mmCIF file of all heavy atoms in Angstrom:
data_model
loop_
_atom_site.group_PDB
_atom_site.id
_atom_site.type_symbol
_atom_site.label_atom_id
_atom_site.label_comp_id
_atom_site.label_asym_id
_atom_site.label_seq_id
_atom_site.Cartn_x
_atom_site.Cartn_y
_atom_site.Cartn_z
ATOM 1 N N GLY A 1 2.011 -25.598 -11.085
ATOM 2 C CA GLY A 1 1.908 -25.953 -12.548
ATOM 3 C C GLY A 1 1.160 -24.924 -13.372
ATOM 4 O O GLY A 1 0.581 -25.298 -14.433
ATOM 5 N N GLY A 2 1.101 -23.657 -12.982
ATOM 6 C CA GLY A 2 0.377 -22.672 -13.708
ATOM 7 C C GLY A 2 -1.119 -22.614 -13.387
ATOM 8 O O GLY A 2 -1.817 -21.723 -13.979
ATOM 9 N N ARG A 3 -1.612 -23.422 -12.538
ATOM 10 C CA ARG A 3 -3.016 -23.405 -12.189
ATOM 11 C C ARG A 3 -3.307 -22.270 -11.171
ATOM 12 O O ARG A 3 -2.452 -21.904 -10.363
ATOM 13 C CB ARG A 3 -3.503 -24.718 -11.637
ATOM 14 C CG ARG A 3 -3.475 -25.860 -12.648
ATOM 15 C CD ARG A 3 -3.780 -27.182 -12.047
ATOM 16 N NE ARG A 3 -2.676 -27.668 -11.130
ATOM 17 C CZ ARG A 3 -2.733 -28.763 -10.402
ATOM 18 N NH1 ARG A 3 -3.831 -29.549 -10.480
ATOM 19 N NH2 ARG A 3 -1.725 -29.082 -9.659
ATOM 20 N N PRO A 4 -4.513 -21.624 -11.206
ATOM 21 C CA PRO A 4 -4.839 -20.540 -10.315
ATOM 22 C C PRO A 4 -4.762 -21.001 -8.833
ATOM 23 O O PRO A 4 -5.147 -22.127 -8.489
ATOM 24 C CB PRO A 4 -6.229 -20.108 -10.698
ATOM 25 C CG PRO A 4 -6.448 -20.710 -12.033
ATOM 26 C CD PRO A 4 -5.652 -21.976 -12.102
ATOM 27 N N VAL A 5 -4.260 -20.058 -8.000
ATOM 28 C CA VAL A 5 -4.251 -20.345 -6.530
ATOM 29 C C VAL A 5 -4.853 -19.069 -5.858
ATOM 30 O O VAL A 5 -4.132 -18.102 -5.617
ATOM 31 C CB VAL A 5 -2.828 -20.579 -6.026
ATOM 32 C CG1 VAL A 5 -2.830 -20.870 -4.520
ATOM 33 C CG2 VAL A 5 -2.175 -21.741 -6.783
ATOM 34 N N PRO A 6 -6.145 -19.095 -5.557
ATOM 35 C CA PRO A 6 -6.762 -17.952 -4.875
ATOM 36 C C PRO A 6 -6.257 -17.876 -3.436
ATOM 37 O O PRO A 6 -5.855 -18.822 -2.811
ATOM 38 C CB PRO A 6 -8.216 -18.278 -4.979
ATOM 39 C CG PRO A 6 -8.330 -19.758 -5.067
ATOM 40 C CD PRO A 6 -7.146 -20.192 -5.852
ATOM 41 N N SER A 7 -6.413 -16.612 -2.869
ATOM 42 C CA SER A 7 -5.875 -16.435 -1.540
ATOM 43 C C SER A 7 -6.929 -15.681 -0.682
ATOM 44 O O SER A 7 -7.825 -14.955 -1.203
ATOM 45 C CB SER A 7 -4.632 -15.574 -1.512
ATOM 46 O OG SER A 7 -4.845 -14.298 -2.082
ATOM 47 N N ILE A 8 -6.813 -15.832 0.615
ATOM 48 C CA ILE A 8 -7.630 -15.097 1.596
ATOM 49 C C ILE A 8 -6.649 -14.606 2.638
ATOM 50 O O ILE A 8 -5.784 -15.298 3.084
ATOM 51 C CB ILE A 8 -8.700 -15.969 2.248
ATOM 52 C CG1 ILE A 8 -9.691 -16.509 1.245
ATOM 53 C CG2 ILE A 8 -9.421 -15.219 3.385
ATOM 54 C CD1 ILE A 8 -10.677 -17.540 1.841
ATOM 55 N N THR A 9 -6.751 -13.289 2.968
ATOM 56 C CA THR A 9 -5.840 -12.688 3.939
ATOM 57 C C THR A 9 -6.508 -12.536 5.318
ATOM 58 O O THR A 9 -7.713 -12.336 5.469
ATOM 59 C CB THR A 9 -5.403 -11.314 3.494
ATOM 60 O OG1 THR A 9 -4.524 -10.718 4.431
ATOM 61 C CG2 THR A 9 -6.546 -10.369 3.289
ATOM 62 N N ALA A 10 -5.671 -12.550 6.355
ATOM 63 C CA ALA A 10 -6.156 -12.303 7.698
ATOM 64 C C ALA A 10 -6.541 -10.862 7.864
ATOM 65 O O ALA A 10 -7.444 -10.595 8.692
ATOM 66 C CB ALA A 10 -5.098 -12.696 8.750
ATOM 67 N N GLY A 11 -5.939 -9.921 7.148
ATOM 68 C CA GLY A 11 -6.241 -8.526 7.265
ATOM 69 C C GLY A 11 -5.651 -7.786 6.117
ATOM 70 O O GLY A 11 -4.399 -7.862 5.890
ATOM 71 N N ARG A 12 -6.445 -7.022 5.392
ATOM 72 C CA ARG A 12 -5.974 -6.217 4.299
ATOM 73 C C ARG A 12 -5.076 -5.101 4.792
ATOM 74 O O ARG A 12 -5.383 -4.427 5.739
ATOM 75 C CB ARG A 12 -7.098 -5.634 3.474
ATOM 76 C CG ARG A 12 -7.979 -6.671 2.774
ATOM 77 C CD ARG A 12 -9.172 -6.042 2.136
ATOM 78 N NE ARG A 12 -10.116 -7.019 1.582
ATOM 79 C CZ ARG A 12 -11.254 -6.688 1.001
ATOM 80 N NH1 ARG A 12 -11.579 -5.396 0.963
ATOM 81 N NH2 ARG A 12 -12.024 -7.626 0.562
ATOM 82 N N THR A 13 -3.987 -4.849 4.123
ATOM 83 C CA THR A 13 -3.121 -3.699 4.458
ATOM 84 C C THR A 13 -3.225 -2.695 3.318
ATOM 85 O O THR A 13 -3.283 -3.106 2.148
ATOM 86 C CB THR A 13 -1.686 -4.115 4.711
ATOM 87 O OG1 THR A 13 -1.201 -4.893 3.637
ATOM 88 C CG2 THR A 13 -1.534 -4.940 5.967
ATOM 89 N N ASP A 14 -3.169 -1.396 3.658
ATOM 90 C CA ASP A 14 -3.241 -0.333 2.633
ATOM 91 C C ASP A 14 -1.889 -0.095 1.988
ATOM 92 O O ASP A 14 -0.856 -0.673 2.431
ATOM 93 C CB ASP A 14 -3.641 0.979 3.343
ATOM 94 C CG ASP A 14 -5.083 0.961 3.789
ATOM 95 O OD1 ASP A 14 -5.923 0.241 3.197
ATOM 96 O OD2 ASP A 14 -5.405 1.601 4.838
ATOM 97 N N ALA A 15 -1.907 0.693 0.948
ATOM 98 C CA ALA A 15 -0.646 1.089 0.279
ATOM 99 C C ALA A 15 0.284 1.659 1.279
ATOM 100 O O ALA A 15 -0.043 2.509 2.052
ATOM 101 C CB ALA A 15 -1.015 2.074 -0.879
ATOM 102 N N GLY A 16 1.538 1.166 1.178
ATOM 103 C CA GLY A 16 2.599 1.705 2.033
ATOM 104 C C GLY A 16 2.675 1.031 3.425
ATOM 105 O O GLY A 16 3.632 1.326 4.155
ATOM 106 N N VAL A 17 1.729 0.231 3.780
ATOM 107 C CA VAL A 17 1.737 -0.408 5.103
ATOM 108 C C VAL A 17 2.508 -1.756 4.981
ATOM 109 O O VAL A 17 2.385 -2.449 3.972
ATOM 110 C CB VAL A 17 0.298 -0.681 5.628
ATOM 111 C CG1 VAL A 17 0.339 -1.466 6.918
ATOM 112 C CG2 VAL A 17 -0.415 0.651 5.791
ATOM 113 N N HIS A 18 3.252 -2.069 6.023
ATOM 114 C CA HIS A 18 4.161 -3.237 5.994
ATOM 115 C C HIS A 18 3.590 -4.425 6.810
ATOM 116 O O HIS A 18 2.557 -4.267 7.423
ATOM 117 C CB HIS A 18 5.505 -2.807 6.562
ATOM 118 C CG HIS A 18 6.019 -1.529 6.026
ATOM 119 N ND1 HIS A 18 6.302 -1.311 4.721
ATOM 120 C CD2 HIS A 18 6.214 -0.330 6.650
ATOM 121 C CE1 HIS A 18 6.697 -0.086 4.544
ATOM 122 N NE2 HIS A 18 6.664 0.570 5.718
ATOM 123 N N ALA A 19 4.318 -5.527 6.791
ATOM 124 C CA ALA A 19 3.885 -6.671 7.567
ATOM 125 C C ALA A 19 5.089 -7.442 8.036
ATOM 126 O O ALA A 19 6.066 -7.601 7.279
ATOM 127 C CB ALA A 19 2.959 -7.557 6.793
ATOM 128 N N GLY A 20 5.026 -7.941 9.259
ATOM 129 C CA GLY A 20 6.055 -8.792 9.752
ATOM 130 C C GLY A 20 5.487 -10.209 10.176
ATOM 131 O O GLY A 20 6.187 -11.092 10.546
ATOM 132 N N GLY A 21 4.120 -10.296 10.124
ATOM 133 C CA GLY A 21 3.447 -11.489 10.486
ATOM 134 C C GLY A 21 2.092 -11.648 9.901
ATOM 135 O O GLY A 21 1.139 -12.099 10.508
ATOM 136 N N GLN A 22 1.950 -11.211 8.644
ATOM 137 C CA GLN A 22 0.654 -11.380 7.922
ATOM 138 C C GLN A 22 0.407 -12.863 7.655
ATOM 139 O O GLN A 22 1.343 -13.615 7.314
ATOM 140 C CB GLN A 22 0.726 -10.597 6.597
ATOM 141 C CG GLN A 22 -0.426 -10.825 5.654
ATOM 142 C CD GLN A 22 -1.696 -10.108 6.083
ATOM 143 O OE1 GLN A 22 -2.362 -10.675 6.940
ATOM 144 N NE2 GLN A 22 -2.041 -8.975 5.518
ATOM 145 N N VAL A 23 -0.810 -13.274 7.768
ATOM 146 C CA VAL A 23 -1.209 -14.711 7.511
ATOM 147 C C VAL A 23 -2.165 -14.758 6.315
ATOM 148 O O VAL A 23 -3.093 -14.009 6.280
ATOM 149 C CB VAL A 23 -1.820 -15.345 8.752
ATOM 150 C CG1 VAL A 23 -2.246 -16.755 8.440
ATOM 151 C CG2 VAL A 23 -0.836 -15.328 9.940
ATOM 152 N N ILE A 24 -1.818 -15.675 5.448
ATOM 153 C CA ILE A 24 -2.550 -15.844 4.185
ATOM 154 C C ILE A 24 -2.988 -17.257 4.023
ATOM 155 O O ILE A 24 -2.266 -18.207 4.315
ATOM 156 C CB ILE A 24 -1.714 -15.424 2.971
ATOM 157 C CG1 ILE A 24 -1.109 -14.022 3.165
ATOM 158 C CG2 ILE A 24 -2.488 -15.476 1.685
ATOM 159 C CD1 ILE A 24 -2.078 -12.937 3.302
ATOM 160 N N GLN A 25 -4.207 -17.457 3.512
ATOM 161 C CA GLN A 25 -4.681 -18.756 3.145
ATOM 162 C C GLN A 25 -4.543 -18.924 1.577
ATOM 163 O O GLN A 25 -4.956 -18.084 0.864
ATOM 164 C CB GLN A 25 -6.201 -18.877 3.505
ATOM 165 C CG GLN A 25 -6.889 -20.140 2.992
ATOM 166 C CD GLN A 25 -8.313 -20.141 3.427
ATOM 167 O OE1 GLN A 25 -8.734 -19.484 4.388
ATOM 168 N NE2 GLN A 25 -9.157 -20.830 2.627
ATOM 169 N N LEU A 26 -3.855 -19.987 1.214
ATOM 170 C CA LEU A 26 -3.709 -20.314 -0.212
ATOM 171 C C LEU A 26 -4.422 -21.611 -0.529
ATOM 172 O O LEU A 26 -4.125 -22.643 0.094
ATOM 173 C CB LEU A 26 -2.224 -20.413 -0.578
ATOM 174 C CG LEU A 26 -1.349 -19.194 -0.551
ATOM 175 C CD1 LEU A 26 0.122 -19.517 -0.757
ATOM 176 C CD2 LEU A 26 -1.827 -18.139 -1.528
ATOM 177 N N ASP A 27 -5.325 -21.553 -1.435
ATOM 178 C CA ASP A 27 -6.138 -22.759 -1.823
ATOM 179 C C ASP A 27 -5.559 -23.319 -3.121
ATOM 180 O O ASP A 27 -5.936 -22.911 -4.232
ATOM 181 C CB ASP A 27 -7.609 -22.411 -1.983
ATOM 182 C CG ASP A 27 -8.271 -22.099 -0.629
ATOM 183 O OD1 ASP A 27 -7.876 -22.777 0.344
ATOM 184 O OD2 ASP A 27 -9.112 -21.241 -0.546
ATOM 185 N N PHE A 28 -4.665 -24.255 -3.004
ATOM 186 C CA PHE A 28 -4.026 -24.897 -4.143
ATOM 187 C C PHE A 28 -5.061 -25.916 -4.727
ATOM 188 O O PHE A 28 -5.915 -26.450 -4.068
ATOM 189 C CB PHE A 28 -2.756 -25.666 -3.729
ATOM 190 C CG PHE A 28 -1.609 -24.760 -3.422
ATOM 191 C CD1 PHE A 28 -1.407 -24.340 -2.139
ATOM 192 C CD2 PHE A 28 -0.748 -24.310 -4.475
ATOM 193 C CE1 PHE A 28 -0.269 -23.481 -1.801
ATOM 194 C CE2 PHE A 28 0.297 -23.535 -4.156
ATOM 195 C CZ PHE A 28 0.556 -23.077 -2.869
ATOM 196 N N PRO A 29 -4.944 -26.178 -6.051
ATOM 197 C CA PRO A 29 -5.802 -27.127 -6.658
ATOM 198 C C PRO A 29 -5.610 -28.513 -6.114
ATOM 199 O O PRO A 29 -4.601 -28.869 -5.585
ATOM 200 C CB PRO A 29 -5.461 -27.007 -8.138
ATOM 201 C CG PRO A 29 -4.035 -26.476 -8.204
ATOM 202 C CD PRO A 29 -3.944 -25.575 -6.959
ATOM 203 N N SER A 30 -6.693 -29.337 -6.289
ATOM 204 C CA SER A 30 -6.683 -30.731 -5.798
ATOM 205 C C SER A 30 -5.456 -31.452 -6.438
ATOM 206 O O SER A 30 -5.092 -31.169 -7.632
ATOM 207 C CB SER A 30 -7.931 -31.470 -6.143
ATOM 208 O OG SER A 30 -8.147 -31.511 -7.535
ATOM 209 N N GLY A 31 -4.825 -32.320 -5.667
ATOM 210 C CA GLY A 31 -3.683 -33.058 -6.201
ATOM 211 C C GLY A 31 -2.396 -32.410 -5.920
ATOM 212 O O GLY A 31 -1.330 -32.968 -6.169
ATOM 213 N N PHE A 32 -2.417 -31.149 -5.404
ATOM 214 C CA PHE A 32 -1.193 -30.437 -5.119
ATOM 215 C C PHE A 32 -0.445 -31.159 -3.970
ATOM 216 O O PHE A 32 -1.016 -31.426 -2.899
ATOM 217 C CB PHE A 32 -1.436 -28.998 -4.679
ATOM 218 C CG PHE A 32 -0.218 -28.186 -4.304
ATOM 219 C CD1 PHE A 32 0.569 -27.709 -5.286
ATOM 220 C CD2 PHE A 32 0.070 -27.971 -3.021
ATOM 221 C CE1 PHE A 32 1.707 -26.918 -4.954
ATOM 222 C CE2 PHE A 32 1.219 -27.240 -2.633
ATOM 223 C CZ PHE A 32 2.047 -26.742 -3.665
ATOM 224 N N ASP A 33 0.798 -31.552 -4.225
ATOM 225 C CA ASP A 33 1.534 -32.358 -3.224
ATOM 226 C C ASP A 33 2.936 -31.792 -3.025
ATOM 227 O O ASP A 33 3.855 -32.111 -3.829
ATOM 228 C CB ASP A 33 1.560 -33.822 -3.723
ATOM 229 C CG ASP A 33 2.208 -34.732 -2.698
ATOM 230 O OD1 ASP A 33 2.266 -34.335 -1.515
ATOM 231 O OD2 ASP A 33 2.603 -35.862 -3.062
#
């Protein structure tokens, strides 16, 4: 609904580096269902 969703990554990748199994934490606002 347009509210901010901050993220935390398992590992930062540099410019040009790819991912096939990157894991990210997304903290949705309370009430997100």
Side-chain angles (χ1 to χ4, degrees):
R3 293 174 291 176
V5 181
S7 65
I8 297 172
T9 180
R12 297 175 185 174
T13 52
D14 291 329
V17 175
H18 315 296
Q22 172 71 283
V23 177
I24 308 297
Q25 173 181 335
L26 292 174
D27 289 325
F28 287 93
S30 61
F32 179 78
D33 184 18

